[in-house]
Amino acid sequence: MDPNANSSGALPEWLSFALAFVSVGPLMLLFSVQSVKVYGGVLGNLWARFVAPRLSADSYARRHISFGVLAGMAAGALSVGMVDQIHTHLFPEISMVFRAKEPIAILTQIAFVQAGLLEEVAKNFCGLLMALLVCRAAAVNEPTHFFLKSTPFLFAGVGLGFALLENQLYLEAYMAEGPGPVFFARALMATTAHALLNLYFVLALLDVRQC
């Protein structure tokens, strides 16, 4: 996205990030509370060994913080950088910002190739890498499963992490139109869509693998 799309009246970076965090916060809390908090892999085992035992079983943090969701959000944030780099090298002449009166071919390319295809490939790629580090099932305990049941929640976190940074960029780019409509559109539709698309992918993958 073009950082110079709106140079006047821009939101302070901290405020745009705070609003973006609020836009993903409800789903983040929902997935964290409902998540299966069982982890494997290198990072998952480190969490289970060194961090989880320090959290009281009935503490707020233990109930409301999910390492899987947080790890997924980190992977989603990483995928934003991946998409930006791919876009810069493959489509340097086309901005990712939607503008009025753009040719329909350009808008279609942005929506379905640059935004749709590239974003989903990057998100799911980063999600799979993070799942190997956080949700890999041990062969001894789960001989017939490759991933643990916490994997779908990690992938939901991937969508939320991507939406967090993307929402911040949209809030900054469209400040001239007022942050309110952009905030509600991103919070109600885009954030939910990102999380659900990643959930659909991983649930289909687990169903195909029967894992």
Side-chain angles (χ1 to χ4, degrees), residues 25-104:
L27 283 180
M28 176 185 173
L29 180 61
L30 174 65
F31 286 122
S32 296
V33 171
Q34 297 296 326
S35 69
V36 178
K37 297 177 176 66
V38 178
Y39 309 113
V42 176
L43 296 181
N45 286 328
L46 289 174
W47 172 272
R49 182 174 180 181
F50 296 106
V51 181
R54 302 177 185 275
L55 302 177
S56 173
D58 59 349
S59 68
Y60 180 90
R62 189 69 173 264
R63 296 194 309 270
H64 295 83
I65 294 178
S66 166
F67 177 60
V69 173
L70 293 176
M73 292 184 70
L78 178 64
S79 69
V80 173
M82 180 181 296
V83 170
D84 182 64
Q85 290 300 312
I86 294 174
H87 169 262
T88 299
H89 287 87
L90 294 183
F91 310 105
E93 73 286 356
I94 301 177
S95 172
M96 286 286 280
V97 178
F98 286 90
R99 293 188 174 90
K101 299 181 180 180
E102 285 276 21
I104 188 64

Side-chain angles (χ1 to χ4, degrees), residues 38 40-41 131-132 135-152 202 205-211:
V38 178
L132 290 173
C135 301
R136 174 72 171 92
V140 175
N141 299 327
E142 297 283 352
T144 61
H145 295 77
F146 193 81
F147 290 115
L148 296 168
K149 294 181 179 180
S150 54
T151 307
V202 73
L205 176 66
L206 296 180
D207 183 64
V208 168
R209 290 186 50 87
Q210 292 297 307
C211 59

Side-chain angles (χ1 to χ4, degrees), residues 59-201:
S59 68
Y60 180 90
R62 189 69 173 264
R63 296 194 309 270
H64 295 83
I65 294 178
S66 166
F67 177 60
V69 173
L70 293 176
M73 292 184 70
L78 178 64
S79 69
V80 173
M82 180 181 296
V83 170
D84 182 64
Q85 290 300 312
I86 294 174
H87 169 262
T88 299
H89 287 87
L90 294 183
F91 310 105
E93 73 286 356
I94 301 177
S95 172
M96 286 286 280
V97 178
F98 286 90
R99 293 188 174 90
K101 299 181 180 180
E102 285 276 21
I104 188 64
I106 298 297
L107 295 178
T108 301
Q109 178 174 330
I110 294 174
F112 294 101
V113 178
Q114 293 173 242
L117 180 61
L118 289 182
E119 287 180 3
E120 295 313 311
V121 169
K123 286 193 298 174
N124 290 314
F125 175 76
C126 292
L128 284 172
L129 292 181
M130 187 62 75
L132 290 173
L133 296 173
V134 176
C135 301
R136 174 72 171 92
V140 175
N141 299 327
E142 297 283 352
T144 61
H145 295 77
F146 193 81
F147 290 115
L148 296 168
K149 294 181 179 180
S150 54
T151 307
F153 297 96
L154 182 144
F155 268 77
V158 173
L160 295 180
F162 189 96
L164 172 63
L165 296 188
E166 188 181 56
N167 290 355
Q168 180 185 9
L169 293 174
Y170 270 87
L171 285 165
E172 292 177 352
Y174 292 102
M175 177 58 189
E177 288 76 17
V182 178
F183 173 82
F184 286 108
R186 301 299 304 177
L188 296 177
M189 293 183 288
T191 298
T192 304
H194 277 300
L196 289 180
L197 285 170
N198 284 107
L199 269 176
Y200 293 153
F201 170 82

